[in-house]
Every structure is written in structure tokens, then in C-alpha cells.
Amino acid sequence: MTQTSSNNGGIDEILVEEEANVKTFILNRPKQLNALTFQMMYWLLELFHASEGNSKVKMIILKVGGSSSVYNFFLLMLSGNWKLSADFIRELFTLNYMMATYSKPQVFILDGIVMGGGLVVSVHGRFRVATEKTVCAMPETALGIVPGASHFYSRIPGFFGEYAGLTGARLDGAEMVDVGLATYFVPSEKLPFLKQELAKVNTSDADVISVIISRFSAIPNLKAESPCHKMKIIDLCFSQRTIEEIISSLENEALNNKDDWISSTIQSLKKASPISLKVYLRSIREGRLQDVGSCLIREYRMLCHALKGELNKDFVEGCRAILIDKDRNPKWEPSRLELIRDDDVDRYFSKIDDEDWEDLKLPPRSNLPPYAIAKL
């Protein structure tokens, strides 16, 4: 095995391990929870491009775990450089699209925190391995921004994706497997042995790879308090047409069911940014009917509007309340759901009125396997 790295000011942000037919990419900023940087994004894109064009490479392993660079986005907004954040999102979504339509098998190891942008780069591989250390979430509505999860959250059975995206619910490895965000659960102590076996692979046959991972996998136990046990209530309440109706439905359930989960879910919704809730609900409902590329193009517009801050200042306020002052008492504007008109939501789905801005343009993809074609 040989190992190389990306190098930025002496920091090896991505480690690259090369076997005969397998390449492993390891995010390597543990002190920063592996929050992605511009350099990491460019390097990952280059690595995936090069590996796809290399006939010797049969499979990619990506060891992820991390978060998005929300705090950096916040600082760029305050300095008036929101377009740099938009550039980052463009590269991130281009990488997501390549992962989703990749012609070779990818095994993503999710052994740690995968939140926000960290989750976005974790869910497009054919094989997604969670462990007992895995925690995932899209907490954006609490920060006044919109989750970029309308494709993969909308593919979760029932209306669990609405629940998870609107509330920012944290899911552990067992729950990720249960709802389909992960495809396997492997105890973290077995990961080194799994990697050793995967490194011997000399084929792109998904069945062969599946057999190998299955040898190390286990059936995880859901915690008694897991929301996965609440699917009946989730489907009843989160299938409602509007946020107001979702909250009302939950409150009706709370009258007859003294369940702490219901009350905490209601509180999560009432604490979140009202406009973020409304925009995300419309986004995931559209995402159910769209391919991955269309979802990314739409989400790019939504996030650019949030980063630019002309329609709404909730992202700045959310970062202040959660990340800066940490008083966890954001003053949203508009402050209540009933103050938000349909036109206010519509604007997030429109093009940015800026001569230097353009829609997300995804690269053409060809010679794709059936697994990838199914996402188009």
C-alpha cells in the first residue's frame, strides 16, 4: 500500500491510500470535525475524476465523518463575500452529482459525525457503512438556512424525511440503516478487518463487494426511544400539506398521548426558522418527483438566496444565536409562520438577480451503471 496526501500549509487534509485496484480517500481534519474546505473539495473532485478514468481502479473507499463549514459561510456573509460560499456550494454539489452517478462502486465509511454538508457527501455511495459511533443530522432549519437533502431524505420510506429535515433530528447508525440512509452496520472494531478485505478486491462487481461487507456486518438494535418506532405518528403528522397543519396534527396527538418525543418534536419545529421550514417542506415535496440533478440545481438556488441574505437575514441570526452568542434564542424575521406568504417561499426557488451569478451547471455523465441511471 502507498499513501499520498493533499497538502495545504503543512496540513494533510485528505489522505490517499492506494492498493492494486482500490483507492481509499480519508478526510483528515479531526479537530475541525472534518469540516470541508475549498482545498479539500477541489482535491476530492480531482481524485474522483482521475480514479474514474483509471481502468486499474475497480473501487473507491471514502472514509467520511464531518460537517459543513457553516461558520465560514457566516463570516463570508458578514464580509460581503457570499459568492465565495456559493462557489463552495457549487463545488460540493458537483462532487455530490459525480458521486451519485459514479461508474464504479463506492464504499463510504461513516464512522463518526456526519452533519449538514458532511451528510450530503456521505449518502451517494452505492455502499454506505454506519457504526455505533455514527451520528447524522441536517440541522439547518435551526440555523435559518435550508437543508440540501431533498433527494435522499425524500427517498426515506413514508414521511420520515420531512420529520428529519424539518426538526434537524439526530440519527444514530442503527437508525440510519433502518431508514435506508446507510446500507450496512459494521461495529467500528471490525472496520480495519473490513478494509483489509476490501483492499484485495480486483473487480467492480457489486455483488462481490456486498458479500464482503456482509461478512462483517451486524443487525443493530434500535433504542427504545428511537423515532423509528414512531413511524405511524410521523406519517400521520408529517404528511400534512403545510407546516401549520403538521404542528397542529402533532399538538392533537399530544392531547391524547403524553409522549416526550411528541412534545420535543413540537418544540424543535417552533424554535426553527419559520421561512426555512416552509422552504424545506416545499423542497422535499418537489424532490420526491425529481432526479438527483434537478434537486441539486434547485437546492443551489435556495442556498444562494439564504447566503446572499437579501430575502431574509435568518441565517445570520441563526449563526449568532447558535454559534456566536450561544444564547439559543434567535429572533427570526418573519417571526411566525402565518406571516409568511406563498410569494415569500417562491422567491427562494427563483434565479438570483445578480449579473455575476448563474445556475448550477452539472457535468454530463455517460456509460453509467443501472444503479446510477436510476437516480437520473
Side-chain angles (χ1 to χ4, degrees):
M1 178 186 72
T2 59
Q3 186 179 85
T4 58
S5 65
S6 67
N7 197 293
N8 176 39
I11 301 173
D12 297 329
E13 296 182 334
I14 299 176
L15 304 179
V16 181
E17 297 179 353
E18 301 185 48
E19 309 289 347
N21 303 107
V22 177
K23 284 198 175 184
T24 301
F25 310 141
I26 304 170
L27 304 189
N28 189 43
R29 297 181 73 222
K31 292 183 179 180
Q32 296 81 21
L33 296 179
N34 283 328
L36 294 167
T37 65
F38 275 98
Q39 290 81 5
M40 292 171 75
M41 197 68 60
Y42 296 142
W43 185 238
L44 277 174
L45 272 169
E46 182 179 323
L47 289 170
F48 271 87
H49 270 298
S51 298
E52 190 168 41
N54 186 344
S55 60
K56 293 182 179 179
V57 177
K58 305 299 182 183
M59 181 181 69
I60 298 294
I61 300 174
L62 178 65
K63 295 181 70 175
V64 295
S67 61
S68 60
S69 304
V70 171
Y71 183 67
N72 291 335
F73 293 165
F74 170 68
L75 295 178
L76 288 171
M77 281 186 68
L78 292 184
S79 66
N81 289 325
W82 70 273
K83 289 180 183 177
L84 288 178
S85 295
D87 289 342
F88 179 89
I89 298 295
R90 182 185 299 113
E91 296 300 317
L92 173 63
F93 282 8
T94 301
L95 176 63
N96 296 158
Y97 188 67
M98 169 165 279
M99 290 173 166
T101 59
Y102 209 60
S103 62
K104 298 178 180 180
Q106 304 162 91
V107 179
F108 288 4
I109 309 295
L110 288 58
D111 187 35
I113 295 173
V114 282
M115 293 188 178
L119 179 58
V120 167
V121 297
S122 303
V123 298
H124 293 298
R126 176 72 178 272
F127 305 99
R128 305 177 299 279
V129 178
T131 75
E132 76 281 359
K133 297 179 181 179
T134 308
V135 179
C136 88
M138 295 295 289
E140 281 83 348
T141 60
L143 286 166
I145 201 167
V146 184
S150 64
H151 187 267
F152 58 87
Y153 264 10
S154 67
R155 268 62 183 176
I156 296 175
F159 292 85
F160 196 93
E162 276 86 343
Y163 157 71
L166 291 169
T167 65
R170 294 191 176 195
L171 307 179
D172 62 23
E175 290 162 341
M176 289 186 71
V177 172
D178 190 72
V179 302
L181 290 174
T183 55
Y184 297 89
F185 183 93
V186 174
S188 58
E189 63 185 18
K190 293 186 178 181
L191 289 179
F193 306 104
L194 170 61
K195 186 177 179 300
Q196 287 178 7
E197 291 303 306
L198 289 175
K200 301 174 184 177
V201 167
N202 61 359
T203 176
S204 293
D205 188 329
D207 291 336
V208 172
I209 297 167
S210 178
V211 168
I212 294 173
I213 302 175
S214 295
R215 293 213 316 262
F216 297 90
S217 66
I219 299 175
N221 294 318
L222 291 171
K223 297 175 182 176
E225 66 273 18
S226 171
C228 294
H229 297 308
K230 312 288 185 181
M231 292 300 292
K232 184 176 179 181
I233 294 177
I234 288 173
D235 286 349
L236 173 67
C237 298
F238 285 87
S239 62
Q240 302 297 317
R241 188 179 62 87
T242 66
I243 299 295
E244 292 91 333
E245 290 169 345
I246 288 173
I247 294 175
S248 177
S249 181
L250 285 165
E251 289 174 336
N252 286 337
E253 288 294 317
L255 294 175
N256 303 313
N257 188 344
K258 302 304 179 183
D259 188 327
D260 290 341
W261 174 84
I262 297 177
S263 59
S264 65
T265 298
I266 293 171
Q267 287 305 307
S268 293
L269 291 171
K270 289 188 174 181
K271 288 180 180 179
S273 159
I275 188 65
S276 295
L277 293 175
K278 291 221 168 192
V279 173
Y280 174 70
L281 184 62
R282 174 172 162 183
S283 178
I284 191 172
R285 295 282 163 84
E286 291 190 5
R288 288 177 178 273
L289 304 174
Q290 292 179 332
D291 59 53
V292 64
S294 299
C295 288
L296 291 170
I297 290 170
R298 183 188 65 260
E299 289 167 357
Y300 181 68
R301 288 187 181 185
M302 292 156 42
L303 288 167
C304 283
H305 277 297
L307 294 170
K308 189 178 183 184
E310 282 192 348
L311 301 182
N312 187 276
K313 303 295 184 184
D314 276 7
F315 181 44
V316 171
E317 175 60 13
C319 288
R320 180 206 64 77
I322 304 299
L323 303 177
I324 309 301
D325 297 339
K326 299 182 180 180
D327 57 32
R328 296 192 173 274
N329 187 31
K331 306 299 182 185
W332 305 124
E333 185 61 40
S335 60
R336 301 194 307 276
L337 291 165
E338 59 268 25
L339 297 177
I340 300 171
R341 303 168 303 176
D342 289 344
D343 286 350
D344 297 325
V345 177
D346 291 343
R347 292 189 183 98
Y348 278 82
F349 295 80
S350 65
K351 292 185 177 182
I352 301 288
D353 186 14
D354 188 301
E355 62 181 12
D356 295 326
W357 182 91
E358 61 180 9
D359 263 330
L360 177 66
K361 291 181 172 59
L362 296 169
R365 306 290 288 149
S366 59
N367 301 320
L368 303 180
Y371 165 78
I373 293 174
K375 296 186 177 184
L376 300 178

PDB file of all heavy atoms in Angstrom, residues 59-91:
ATOM      1  N   MET A  59     -12.587   0.160  -7.472  1.00  0.00           N
ATOM      2  CA  MET A  59     -13.486   0.570  -6.400  1.00  0.00           C
ATOM      3  C   MET A  59     -12.868   1.729  -5.627  1.00  0.00           C
ATOM      4  O   MET A  59     -11.651   1.847  -5.520  1.00  0.00           O
ATOM      5  CB  MET A  59     -13.752  -0.606  -5.451  1.00  0.00           C
ATOM      6  CG  MET A  59     -14.707  -0.298  -4.313  1.00  0.00           C
ATOM      7  SD  MET A  59     -14.929  -1.733  -3.226  1.00  0.00           S
ATOM      8  CE  MET A  59     -13.295  -1.811  -2.476  1.00  0.00           C
ATOM      9  N   ILE A  60     -13.752   2.575  -5.068  1.00  0.00           N
ATOM     10  CA  ILE A  60     -13.330   3.695  -4.227  1.00  0.00           C
ATOM     11  C   ILE A  60     -13.850   3.456  -2.816  1.00  0.00           C
ATOM     12  O   ILE A  60     -15.014   3.083  -2.617  1.00  0.00           O
ATOM     13  CB  ILE A  60     -13.891   5.036  -4.752  1.00  0.00           C
ATOM     14  CG1 ILE A  60     -13.370   5.345  -6.155  1.00  0.00           C
ATOM     15  CG2 ILE A  60     -13.566   6.177  -3.784  1.00  0.00           C
ATOM     16  CD1 ILE A  60     -11.892   5.597  -6.221  1.00  0.00           C
ATOM     17  N   ILE A  61     -12.995   3.704  -1.824  1.00  0.00           N
ATOM     18  CA  ILE A  61     -13.427   3.742  -0.430  1.00  0.00           C
ATOM     19  C   ILE A  61     -13.240   5.172   0.059  1.00  0.00           C
ATOM     20  O   ILE A  61     -12.178   5.777  -0.136  1.00  0.00           O
ATOM     21  CB  ILE A  61     -12.603   2.783   0.455  1.00  0.00           C
ATOM     22  CG1 ILE A  61     -12.749   1.341  -0.029  1.00  0.00           C
ATOM     23  CG2 ILE A  61     -13.036   2.901   1.919  1.00  0.00           C
ATOM     24  CD1 ILE A  61     -11.840   0.358   0.702  1.00  0.00           C
ATOM     25  N   LEU A  62     -14.283   5.723   0.670  1.00  0.00           N
ATOM     26  CA  LEU A  62     -14.201   7.074   1.219  1.00  0.00           C
ATOM     27  C   LEU A  62     -14.550   7.017   2.699  1.00  0.00           C
ATOM     28  O   LEU A  62     -15.649   6.606   3.073  1.00  0.00           O
ATOM     29  CB  LEU A  62     -15.152   8.026   0.496  1.00  0.00           C
ATOM     30  CG  LEU A  62     -15.195   9.470   1.030  1.00  0.00           C
ATOM     31  CD1 LEU A  62     -13.850  10.161   0.829  1.00  0.00           C
ATOM     32  CD2 LEU A  62     -16.307  10.269   0.351  1.00  0.00           C
ATOM     33  N   LYS A  63     -13.600   7.390   3.536  1.00  0.00           N
ATOM     34  CA  LYS A  63     -13.828   7.438   4.978  1.00  0.00           C
ATOM     35  C   LYS A  63     -14.232   8.865   5.325  1.00  0.00           C
ATOM     36  O   LYS A  63     -13.404   9.778   5.312  1.00  0.00           O
ATOM     37  CB  LYS A  63     -12.585   7.001   5.733  1.00  0.00           C
ATOM     38  CG  LYS A  63     -12.207   5.540   5.489  1.00  0.00           C
ATOM     39  CD  LYS A  63     -10.986   5.118   6.279  1.00  0.00           C
ATOM     40  CE  LYS A  63     -11.266   5.028   7.758  1.00  0.00           C
ATOM     41  NZ  LYS A  63     -10.108   4.494   8.517  1.00  0.00           N
ATOM     42  N   VAL A  64     -15.533   9.048   5.585  1.00  0.00           N
ATOM     43  CA  VAL A  64     -16.064  10.380   5.835  1.00  0.00           C
ATOM     44  C   VAL A  64     -16.363  10.535   7.315  1.00  0.00           C
ATOM     45  O   VAL A  64     -16.003   9.715   8.139  1.00  0.00           O
ATOM     46  CB  VAL A  64     -17.315  10.638   4.975  1.00  0.00           C
ATOM     47  CG1 VAL A  64     -16.964  10.648   3.526  1.00  0.00           C
ATOM     48  CG2 VAL A  64     -18.400   9.609   5.260  1.00  0.00           C
ATOM     49  N   GLY A  65     -17.081  11.567   7.623  1.00  0.00           N
ATOM     50  CA  GLY A  65     -17.360  11.914   9.010  1.00  0.00           C
ATOM     51  C   GLY A  65     -16.999  13.364   9.171  1.00  0.00           C
ATOM     52  O   GLY A  65     -15.823  13.737   9.097  1.00  0.00           O
ATOM     53  N   GLY A  66     -18.017  14.211   9.338  1.00  0.00           N
ATOM     54  CA  GLY A  66     -17.727  15.629   9.465  1.00  0.00           C
ATOM     55  C   GLY A  66     -18.967  16.466   9.291  1.00  0.00           C
ATOM     56  O   GLY A  66     -20.090  15.990   9.398  1.00  0.00           O
ATOM     57  N   SER A  67     -18.759  17.752   9.048  1.00  0.00           N
ATOM     58  CA  SER A  67     -19.864  18.699   8.962  1.00  0.00           C
ATOM     59  C   SER A  67     -19.589  19.678   7.843  1.00  0.00           C
ATOM     60  O   SER A  67     -18.540  19.647   7.205  1.00  0.00           O
ATOM     61  CB  SER A  67     -20.000  19.453  10.286  1.00  0.00           C
ATOM     62  OG  SER A  67     -18.807  20.177  10.566  1.00  0.00           O
ATOM     63  N   SER A  68     -20.534  20.570   7.604  1.00  0.00           N
ATOM     64  CA  SER A  68     -20.330  21.624   6.627  1.00  0.00           C
ATOM     65  C   SER A  68     -19.596  22.783   7.291  1.00  0.00           C
ATOM     66  O   SER A  68     -19.416  22.817   8.511  1.00  0.00           O
ATOM     67  CB  SER A  68     -21.676  22.101   6.074  1.00  0.00           C
ATOM     68  OG  SER A  68     -22.481  22.612   7.128  1.00  0.00           O
ATOM     69  N   SER A  69     -19.180  23.750   6.499  1.00  0.00           N
ATOM     70  CA  SER A  69     -18.431  24.897   7.018  1.00  0.00           C
ATOM     71  C   SER A  69     -19.363  26.076   7.254  1.00  0.00           C
ATOM     72  O   SER A  69     -19.162  27.171   6.731  1.00  0.00           O
ATOM     73  CB  SER A  69     -17.313  25.262   6.033  1.00  0.00           C
ATOM     74  OG  SER A  69     -16.475  24.154   5.790  1.00  0.00           O
ATOM     75  N   VAL A  70     -20.395  25.854   8.083  1.00  0.00           N
ATOM     76  CA  VAL A  70     -21.415  26.885   8.307  1.00  0.00           C
ATOM     77  C   VAL A  70     -20.795  28.148   8.874  1.00  0.00           C
ATOM     78  O   VAL A  70     -21.139  29.268   8.465  1.00  0.00           O
ATOM     79  CB  VAL A  70     -22.521  26.349   9.236  1.00  0.00           C
ATOM     80  CG1 VAL A  70     -23.457  27.470   9.654  1.00  0.00           C
ATOM     81  CG2 VAL A  70     -23.299  25.245   8.543  1.00  0.00           C
ATOM     82  N   TYR A  71     -19.894  28.009   9.824  1.00  0.00           N
ATOM     83  CA  TYR A  71     -19.295  29.189  10.444  1.00  0.00           C
ATOM     84  C   TYR A  71     -18.522  30.018   9.418  1.00  0.00           C
ATOM     85  O   TYR A  71     -18.581  31.255   9.429  1.00  0.00           O
ATOM     86  CB  TYR A  71     -18.369  28.771  11.583  1.00  0.00           C
ATOM     87  CG  TYR A  71     -17.767  29.928  12.337  1.00  0.00           C
ATOM     88  CD1 TYR A  71     -18.576  30.765  13.102  1.00  0.00           C
ATOM     89  CD2 TYR A  71     -16.395  30.203  12.271  1.00  0.00           C
ATOM     90  CE1 TYR A  71     -18.032  31.844  13.797  1.00  0.00           C
ATOM     91  CE2 TYR A  71     -15.843  31.271  12.964  1.00  0.00           C
ATOM     92  CZ  TYR A  71     -16.666  32.088  13.726  1.00  0.00           C
ATOM     93  OH  TYR A  71     -16.134  33.154  14.399  1.00  0.00           O
ATOM     94  N   ASN A  72     -17.810  29.337   8.509  1.00  0.00           N
ATOM     95  CA  ASN A  72     -17.092  30.066   7.454  1.00  0.00           C
ATOM     96  C   ASN A  72     -18.061  30.794   6.539  1.00  0.00           C
ATOM     97  O   ASN A  72     -17.783  31.914   6.098  1.00  0.00           O
ATOM     98  CB  ASN A  72     -16.220  29.098   6.650  1.00  0.00           C
ATOM     99  CG  ASN A  72     -15.060  28.556   7.453  1.00  0.00           C
ATOM    100  OD1 ASN A  72     -14.602  29.188   8.406  1.00  0.00           O
ATOM    101  ND2 ASN A  72     -14.566  27.388   7.087  1.00  0.00           N
ATOM    102  N   PHE A  73     -19.201  30.148   6.227  1.00  0.00           N
ATOM    103  CA  PHE A  73     -20.220  30.814   5.414  1.00  0.00           C
ATOM    104  C   PHE A  73     -20.690  32.090   6.111  1.00  0.00           C
ATOM    105  O   PHE A  73     -20.878  33.139   5.486  1.00  0.00           O
ATOM    106  CB  PHE A  73     -21.422  29.901   5.185  1.00  0.00           C
ATOM    107  CG  PHE A  73     -21.131  28.695   4.332  1.00  0.00           C
ATOM    108  CD1 PHE A  73     -22.029  27.642   4.291  1.00  0.00           C
ATOM    109  CD2 PHE A  73     -19.987  28.601   3.581  1.00  0.00           C
ATOM    110  CE1 PHE A  73     -21.784  26.524   3.513  1.00  0.00           C
ATOM    111  CE2 PHE A  73     -19.724  27.487   2.795  1.00  0.00           C
ATOM    112  CZ  PHE A  73     -20.628  26.442   2.769  1.00  0.00           C
ATOM    113  N   PHE A  74     -20.893  31.995   7.401  1.00  0.00           N
ATOM    114  CA  PHE A  74     -21.355  33.133   8.200  1.00  0.00           C
ATOM    115  C   PHE A  74     -20.366  34.294   8.119  1.00  0.00           C
ATOM    116  O   PHE A  74     -20.744  35.448   7.880  1.00  0.00           O
ATOM    117  CB  PHE A  74     -21.553  32.672   9.642  1.00  0.00           C
ATOM    118  CG  PHE A  74     -21.794  33.779  10.627  1.00  0.00           C
ATOM    119  CD1 PHE A  74     -22.964  34.519  10.591  1.00  0.00           C
ATOM    120  CD2 PHE A  74     -20.844  34.075  11.600  1.00  0.00           C
ATOM    121  CE1 PHE A  74     -23.190  35.539  11.511  1.00  0.00           C
ATOM    122  CE2 PHE A  74     -21.063  35.092  12.515  1.00  0.00           C
ATOM    123  CZ  PHE A  74     -22.232  35.828  12.476  1.00  0.00           C
ATOM    124  N   LEU A  75     -19.077  34.002   8.271  1.00  0.00           N
ATOM    125  CA  LEU A  75     -18.059  35.050   8.211  1.00  0.00           C
ATOM    126  C   LEU A  75     -17.990  35.685   6.828  1.00  0.00           C
ATOM    127  O   LEU A  75     -17.832  36.909   6.702  1.00  0.00           O
ATOM    128  CB  LEU A  75     -16.693  34.475   8.589  1.00  0.00           C
ATOM    129  CG  LEU A  75     -16.537  33.972  10.036  1.00  0.00           C
ATOM    130  CD1 LEU A  75     -15.144  33.384  10.243  1.00  0.00           C
ATOM    131  CD2 LEU A  75     -16.796  35.098  11.023  1.00  0.00           C
ATOM    132  N   LEU A  76     -18.133  34.858   5.790  1.00  0.00           N
ATOM    133  CA  LEU A  76     -18.105  35.391   4.428  1.00  0.00           C
ATOM    134  C   LEU A  76     -19.308  36.290   4.170  1.00  0.00           C
ATOM    135  O   LEU A  76     -19.184  37.321   3.487  1.00  0.00           O
ATOM    136  CB  LEU A  76     -18.070  34.246   3.421  1.00  0.00           C
ATOM    137  CG  LEU A  76     -16.754  33.472   3.333  1.00  0.00           C
ATOM    138  CD1 LEU A  76     -16.913  32.226   2.472  1.00  0.00           C
ATOM    139  CD2 LEU A  76     -15.641  34.358   2.777  1.00  0.00           C
ATOM    140  N   MET A  77     -20.466  35.918   4.715  1.00  0.00           N
ATOM    141  CA  MET A  77     -21.648  36.765   4.569  1.00  0.00           C
ATOM    142  C   MET A  77     -21.419  38.126   5.214  1.00  0.00           C
ATOM    143  O   MET A  77     -21.729  39.181   4.639  1.00  0.00           O
ATOM    144  CB  MET A  77     -22.871  36.096   5.198  1.00  0.00           C
ATOM    145  CG  MET A  77     -23.517  35.021   4.372  1.00  0.00           C
ATOM    146  SD  MET A  77     -25.041  34.449   5.137  1.00  0.00           S
ATOM    147  CE  MET A  77     -26.083  35.906   4.960  1.00  0.00           C
ATOM    148  N   LEU A  78     -20.882  38.124   6.423  1.00  0.00           N
ATOM    149  CA  LEU A  78     -20.658  39.383   7.141  1.00  0.00           C
ATOM    150  C   LEU A  78     -19.667  40.274   6.403  1.00  0.00           C
ATOM    151  O   LEU A  78     -19.764  41.505   6.471  1.00  0.00           O
ATOM    152  CB  LEU A  78     -20.151  39.097   8.554  1.00  0.00           C
ATOM    153  CG  LEU A  78     -21.137  38.426   9.518  1.00  0.00           C
ATOM    154  CD1 LEU A  78     -20.508  38.292  10.901  1.00  0.00           C
ATOM    155  CD2 LEU A  78     -22.446  39.213   9.614  1.00  0.00           C
ATOM    156  N   SER A  79     -18.716  39.653   5.698  1.00  0.00           N
ATOM    157  CA  SER A  79     -17.714  40.435   4.968  1.00  0.00           C
ATOM    158  C   SER A  79     -18.183  40.826   3.573  1.00  0.00           C
ATOM    159  O   SER A  79     -17.469  41.503   2.840  1.00  0.00           O
ATOM    160  CB  SER A  79     -16.421  39.631   4.851  1.00  0.00           C
ATOM    161  OG  SER A  79     -16.600  38.485   4.030  1.00  0.00           O
ATOM    162  N   GLY A  80     -19.397  40.392   3.204  1.00  0.00           N
ATOM    163  CA  GLY A  80     -19.940  40.716   1.891  1.00  0.00           C
ATOM    164  C   GLY A  80     -19.504  39.779   0.788  1.00  0.00           C
ATOM    165  O   GLY A  80     -19.745  40.052  -0.393  1.00  0.00           O
ATOM    166  N   ASN A  81     -18.848  38.673   1.145  1.00  0.00           N
ATOM    167  CA  ASN A  81     -18.326  37.726   0.147  1.00  0.00           C
ATOM    168  C   ASN A  81     -19.188  36.466   0.061  1.00  0.00           C
ATOM    169  O   ASN A  81     -18.656  35.345   0.037  1.00  0.00           O
ATOM    170  CB  ASN A  81     -16.879  37.350   0.482  1.00  0.00           C
ATOM    171  CG  ASN A  81     -15.901  38.480   0.239  1.00  0.00           C
ATOM    172  OD1 ASN A  81     -16.068  39.248  -0.699  1.00  0.00           O
ATOM    173  ND2 ASN A  81     -14.904  38.587   1.083  1.00  0.00           N
ATOM    174  N   TRP A  82     -20.494  36.633  -0.013  1.00  0.00           N
ATOM    175  CA  TRP A  82     -21.369  35.470  -0.052  1.00  0.00           C
ATOM    176  C   TRP A  82     -21.113  34.609  -1.287  1.00  0.00           C
ATOM    177  O   TRP A  82     -21.344  33.396  -1.261  1.00  0.00           O
ATOM    178  CB  TRP A  82     -22.842  35.902  -0.025  1.00  0.00           C
ATOM    179  CG  TRP A  82     -23.309  36.577  -1.284  1.00  0.00           C
ATOM    180  CD1 TRP A  82     -23.226  37.894  -1.575  1.00  0.00           C
ATOM    181  CD2 TRP A  82     -23.911  35.942  -2.412  1.00  0.00           C
ATOM    182  NE1 TRP A  82     -23.731  38.150  -2.834  1.00  0.00           N
ATOM    183  CE2 TRP A  82     -24.166  36.964  -3.370  1.00  0.00           C
ATOM    184  CE3 TRP A  82     -24.252  34.639  -2.726  1.00  0.00           C
ATOM    185  CZ2 TRP A  82     -24.761  36.697  -4.612  1.00  0.00           C
ATOM    186  CZ3 TRP A  82     -24.842  34.373  -3.952  1.00  0.00           C
ATOM    187  CH2 TRP A  82     -25.090  35.391  -4.878  1.00  0.00           C
ATOM    188  N   LYS A  83     -20.587  35.224  -2.351  1.00  0.00           N
ATOM    189  CA  LYS A  83     -20.351  34.457  -3.583  1.00  0.00           C
ATOM    190  C   LYS A  83     -19.257  33.406  -3.402  1.00  0.00           C
ATOM    191  O   LYS A  83     -19.262  32.383  -4.100  1.00  0.00           O
ATOM    192  CB  LYS A  83     -19.995  35.403  -4.732  1.00  0.00           C
ATOM    193  CG  LYS A  83     -21.179  36.242  -5.207  1.00  0.00           C
ATOM    194  CD  LYS A  83     -20.786  37.153  -6.334  1.00  0.00           C
ATOM    195  CE  LYS A  83     -21.966  38.033  -6.755  1.00  0.00           C
ATOM    196  NZ  LYS A  83     -21.595  38.990  -7.815  1.00  0.00           N
ATOM    197  N   LEU A  84     -18.334  33.629  -2.483  1.00  0.00           N
ATOM    198  CA  LEU A  84     -17.338  32.601  -2.204  1.00  0.00           C
ATOM    199  C   LEU A  84     -17.996  31.368  -1.585  1.00  0.00           C
ATOM    200  O   LEU A  84     -17.636  30.235  -1.884  1.00  0.00           O
ATOM    201  CB  LEU A  84     -16.249  33.144  -1.269  1.00  0.00           C
ATOM    202  CG  LEU A  84     -15.278  34.157  -1.882  1.00  0.00           C
ATOM    203  CD1 LEU A  84     -14.278  34.641  -0.828  1.00  0.00           C
ATOM    204  CD2 LEU A  84     -14.541  33.543  -3.065  1.00  0.00           C
ATOM    205  N   SER A  85     -18.974  31.616  -0.717  1.00  0.00           N
ATOM    206  CA  SER A  85     -19.744  30.497  -0.161  1.00  0.00           C
ATOM    207  C   SER A  85     -20.526  29.797  -1.257  1.00  0.00           C
ATOM    208  O   SER A  85     -20.624  28.563  -1.270  1.00  0.00           O
ATOM    209  CB  SER A  85     -20.700  30.996   0.927  1.00  0.00           C
ATOM    210  OG  SER A  85     -19.999  31.501   2.030  1.00  0.00           O
ATOM    211  N   ALA A  86     -21.081  30.586  -2.184  1.00  0.00           N
ATOM    212  CA  ALA A  86     -21.817  29.997  -3.306  1.00  0.00           C
ATOM    213  C   ALA A  86     -20.891  29.140  -4.161  1.00  0.00           C
ATOM    214  O   ALA A  86     -21.279  28.069  -4.640  1.00  0.00           O
ATOM    215  CB  ALA A  86     -22.470  31.098  -4.142  1.00  0.00           C
ATOM    216  N   ASP A  87     -19.640  29.591  -4.354  1.00  0.00           N
ATOM    217  CA  ASP A  87     -18.667  28.798  -5.110  1.00  0.00           C
ATOM    218  C   ASP A  87     -18.399  27.462  -4.413  1.00  0.00           C
ATOM    219  O   ASP A  87     -18.260  26.416  -5.063  1.00  0.00           O
ATOM    220  CB  ASP A  87     -17.354  29.569  -5.260  1.00  0.00           C
ATOM    221  CG  ASP A  87     -17.465  30.753  -6.207  1.00  0.00           C
ATOM    222  OD1 ASP A  87     -18.436  30.777  -6.999  1.00  0.00           O
ATOM    223  OD2 ASP A  87     -16.613  31.643  -6.147  1.00  0.00           O
ATOM    224  N   PHE A  88     -18.314  27.510  -3.095  1.00  0.00           N
ATOM    225  CA  PHE A  88     -18.087  26.288  -2.332  1.00  0.00           C
ATOM    226  C   PHE A  88     -19.256  25.322  -2.521  1.00  0.00           C
ATOM    227  O   PHE A  88     -19.057  24.124  -2.759  1.00  0.00           O
ATOM    228  CB  PHE A  88     -17.928  26.630  -0.854  1.00  0.00           C
ATOM    229  CG  PHE A  88     -17.712  25.434   0.029  1.00  0.00           C
ATOM    230  CD1 PHE A  88     -16.435  24.957   0.291  1.00  0.00           C
ATOM    231  CD2 PHE A  88     -18.790  24.770   0.602  1.00  0.00           C
ATOM    232  CE1 PHE A  88     -16.237  23.855   1.096  1.00  0.00           C
ATOM    233  CE2 PHE A  88     -18.599  23.661   1.410  1.00  0.00           C
ATOM    234  CZ  PHE A  88     -17.319  23.199   1.662  1.00  0.00           C
ATOM    235  N   ILE A  89     -20.477  25.840  -2.418  1.00  0.00           N
ATOM    236  CA  ILE A  89     -21.668  25.000  -2.594  1.00  0.00           C
ATOM    237  C   ILE A  89     -21.690  24.417  -4.007  1.00  0.00           C
ATOM    238  O   ILE A  89     -22.051  23.253  -4.213  1.00  0.00           O
ATOM    239  CB  ILE A  89     -22.952  25.801  -2.336  1.00  0.00           C
ATOM    240  CG1 ILE A  89     -22.986  26.298  -0.879  1.00  0.00           C
ATOM    241  CG2 ILE A  89     -24.184  24.957  -2.622  1.00  0.00           C
ATOM    242  CD1 ILE A  89     -23.064  25.212   0.148  1.00  0.00           C
ATOM    243  N   ARG A  90     -21.281  25.214  -5.011  1.00  0.00           N
ATOM    244  CA  ARG A  90     -21.262  24.715  -6.382  1.00  0.00           C
ATOM    245  C   ARG A  90     -20.313  23.520  -6.508  1.00  0.00           C
ATOM    246  O   ARG A  90     -20.658  22.504  -7.114  1.00  0.00           O
ATOM    247  CB  ARG A  90     -20.830  25.817  -7.348  1.00  0.00           C
ATOM    248  CG  ARG A  90     -20.835  25.367  -8.817  1.00  0.00           C
ATOM    249  CD  ARG A  90     -20.289  26.409  -9.757  1.00  0.00           C
ATOM    250  NE  ARG A  90     -21.066  27.633  -9.714  1.00  0.00           N
ATOM    251  CZ  ARG A  90     -20.627  28.791  -9.246  1.00  0.00           C
ATOM    252  NH1 ARG A  90     -19.388  28.874  -8.754  1.00  0.00           N
ATOM    253  NH2 ARG A  90     -21.390  29.852  -9.243  1.00  0.00           N
ATOM    254  N   GLU A  91     -19.134  23.649  -5.915  1.00  0.00           N
ATOM    255  CA  GLU A  91     -18.184  22.538  -5.978  1.00  0.00           C
ATOM    256  C   GLU A  91     -18.694  21.322  -5.198  1.00  0.00           C
ATOM    257  O   GLU A  91     -18.544  20.175  -5.634  1.00  0.00           O
ATOM    258  CB  GLU A  91     -16.825  22.979  -5.417  1.00  0.00           C
ATOM    259  CG  GLU A  91     -16.136  24.063  -6.214  1.00  0.00           C
ATOM    260  CD  GLU A  91     -15.849  23.635  -7.654  1.00  0.00           C
ATOM    261  OE1 GLU A  91     -15.403  22.493  -7.867  1.00  0.00           O
ATOM    262  OE2 GLU A  91     -16.092  24.445  -8.566  1.00  0.00           O
TER     263      GLU A  91
END
